Amino acid sequence: MGGTFSTDCSEFQERVVERSGIGDEACMPIALHELPPEAYFKASLEEVEQVLFPIVEDLLSKHSISPTSIDILISNCSLFCPTPSITAMITNKFGFRSNIKSFSLSGMGCGAGLLSISLAKDLLKVHKNSLALVLSMEAISTNAYHGKAKSMLVTNTIFRMGGAAILLSNKKHDEQRSKYKLLHLVRTHMGSDDRSYGSVIQQDDGDGFVGVSLSRSLSHVAGNALRTNISELGPLVLPYLEQLRCGWGAVHRKLWVTAGRKEIYVPDFKKAFEHFCIHAGGRAIIDAVESNLKLQKEDGEASRMTLHRFGNTSSSSVWYELCYLEAKGKVKKGDRIWQIAFGSGFKCNSAVWKSISVLDPQERNAWSDRIHSYPVQIPNAP
């Protein structure tokens, strides 16, 4: 992109990339390899086809499922909303039934992947004996920012191509071949707060260039959203002793606040979960969640390695992380996994899954060709 920016803007983006934790294998769409980048509508259509068509075909083939067996189809892509919709593109390509229940979600940011799972869960409660296919991605071909506002230039450096296809079922006989069972899904929306609402926002700058602005308060906003989210999630997943400690900690703070004793007790979530999939939105996001939850570096390994290899793939990042854990042979039957996703609005979504099968780490997934090389040592930010 260097040919389209001033020296100052190019150097700023280079510094951000150096600090990002993203490696050399993360993929950019073809349109953004051109100088200057070709931000055509057709380029985004081609990116959707390039990302989603292969993974849908692979999923259906892998599980010997006919396209006509899919009852519910949900896609999420925040910044690209074509007509006909993305779900219509998939239906046309694979020949889904005419009475399929399809939904195309947009404008919901990186947290839309788990939001789509929430929608699928609710629909499966109503429509018995059904299969739901959820597709998560972000199209970046036509969404590069060409101005000079640094708060918007950051998005040019961290987002990369990627996508995920997830199949959910409420059919009794599918339980025998399912990998996971969804235990809990908690959604938090902080949009009523102006600071949260404006922390990640698409707008035009003073020169008329459109981009997504990331505010300096983003980490603070994300921390508040996470605390609100876990206040609802905690009672669902934490052992009673940890809940009692949290309650006593809250009372203790109120009683001794005048004495300056304001330390907040953070529950030990490792007593509730064996694995953590933190949205790979950037090094700072992963660091902040680890710090807020008092996790160890190894708890964020899947997130850091996903960021390194694939970059920020928006709503699909938590699925790359789950694939990493599977390929490493870390997920055992009975293990519980906590997926944490953030999104514009501002949103924090949590999904809790339980492994109900013995997983084969040799089963092919997005990490199969490189898993032997990971984890890698990621240099500290310069």
Side-chain angles (χ1 to χ4, degrees):
M1 296 183 186
T4 66
F5 297 106
S6 66
T7 300
D8 180 59
C9 289
S10 295
E11 291 178 348
F12 171 77
Q13 291 178 94
E14 288 175 6
R15 291 195 299 272
V16 174
V17 170
E18 289 173 358
R19 293 170 168 81
S20 69
I22 301 175
D24 297 333
E25 293 186 1
C27 295
M28 283 284 200
I30 294 174
L32 296 185
H33 283 281
E34 299 176 354
L35 294 176
E38 298 293 347
Y40 295 132
F41 178 81
K42 182 182 178 182
S44 285
L45 287 176
E46 292 174 346
E47 183 182 352
V48 171
E49 294 176 357
Q50 187 177 1
V51 172
L52 293 185
F53 284 6
I55 60 177
V56 172
E57 183 174 1
D58 182 64
L59 184 146
L60 296 177
S61 173
K62 185 177 181 180
H63 298 286
S64 301
I65 294 173
S66 168
T68 58
S69 298
I70 303 298
D71 303 286
I72 299 166
L73 177 62
I74 302 170
S75 74
N76 66 264
C77 184
S78 190
L79 294 176
F80 183 59
C81 186
T83 300
S85 66
I86 290 176
T87 53
M89 293 171 62
I90 300 297
T91 298
N92 177 260
K93 170 68 175 179
F94 294 95
F96 290 163
R97 299 197 317 264
S98 61
N99 65 342
I100 191 169
K101 299 165 184 66
S102 65
F103 304 83
S104 293
L105 308 182
S106 66
M108 294 185 171
C110 302
L114 297 188
L115 191 151
S116 297
I117 297 295
S118 176
L119 176 58
K121 179 196 70 170
D122 291 342
L123 289 168
L124 288 170
K125 286 182 179 179
V126 177
H127 302 283
K128 305 301 181 183
N129 206 38
S130 296
L131 284 176
L133 177 59
V134 174
L135 308 175
S136 292
M137 69 164 295
E138 183 59 85
I140 60 177
S141 292
T142 56
N143 290 297
Y145 171 66
H146 301 288
K148 56 188 179 184
K150 291 184 178 180
S151 65
M152 297 183 179
L153 286 170
V154 172
T155 57
N156 287 347
T157 67
I158 60 175
F159 284 98
R160 299 292 189 274
M161 285 180 71
I166 305 96
L167 190 66
L168 299 100
S169 174
N170 60 8
K171 298 181 179 182
K172 188 64 178 177
H173 67 266
D174 282 339
E175 186 174 356
Q176 303 302 316
R177 61 174 182 165
S178 296
K179 287 184 176 181
Y180 302 98
K181 179 179 181 179
L182 179 62
L183 299 182
H184 307 287
L185 206 152
V186 176
R187 293 167 52 184
T188 299
H189 200 307
M190 308 293 287
S192 60
D193 173 67
D194 290 343
R195 188 182 189 188
S196 298
Y197 176 79
S199 61
V200 180
I201 189 166
Q202 187 179 28
Q203 59 189 10
D204 56 359
D205 63 15
D207 298 318
F209 292 105
V210 177
V212 176
S213 175
L214 306 180
S215 77
R216 292 182 180 273
S217 64
L218 181 56
S219 293
H220 177 76
V221 165
N224 284 340
L226 177 61
R227 282 189 289 275
T228 302
N229 186 269
I230 62 178
S231 69
E232 183 177 346
L233 178 68
L236 300 175
V237 299
L238 288 170
Y240 288 125
L241 182 57
E242 281 299 301
Q243 294 187 47
L244 286 172
R245 287 173 175 167
C246 287
W248 169 244
V251 172
H252 190 266
R253 286 198 310 278
K254 289 183 179 179
L255 291 176
W256 281 276
V257 68
T258 54
R261 302 180 67 173
K262 302 180 182 179
E263 183 178 350
I264 300 174
Y265 177 76
V266 178
D268 185 0
F269 280 99
K270 296 185 74 170
K271 293 182 178 179
F273 308 109
E274 283 72 37
H275 309 288
F276 300 84
C277 295
I278 306 163
H279 167 52
R283 187 198 296 258
I285 290 290
I286 300 171
D287 287 345
V289 173
E290 285 181 346
S291 175
N292 283 332
L293 298 181
K294 297 191 181 302
L295 300 178
Q296 302 301 313
K297 288 297 182 182
E298 56 265 27
D299 297 318
E301 179 181 315
S303 302
R304 294 181 189 283
M305 296 307 105
T306 293
L307 180 65
H308 180 268
R309 186 184 177 191
F310 296 103
N312 180 352
T313 60
S314 188
S315 57
S316 64
S317 70
V318 291
W319 301 108
Y320 283 100
E321 294 161 19
L322 186 55
C323 284
Y324 178 88
L325 294 172
E326 292 178 359
K328 275 292 181 183
K330 294 189 176 187
V331 181
K332 310 301 181 185
K333 186 175 181 179
D335 283 0
R336 297 152 299 177
I337 301 98
W338 182 11
Q339 292 178 316
I340 309 170
F342 299 98
S344 56
F346 187 85
K347 296 181 285 291
C348 176
N349 300 325
S350 288
V352 178
W353 303 86
K354 182 178 180 180
S355 173
I356 58 176
S357 297
V358 177
L359 303 181
D360 179 7
Q362 300 302 316
E363 181 179 337
R364 181 173 53 85
N365 70 21
W367 286 92
S368 297
D369 62 333
R370 292 287 189 278
I371 196 63
H372 60 279
S373 302
Y374 285 83
V376 298
Q377 184 65 38
I378 300 175
N380 293 326

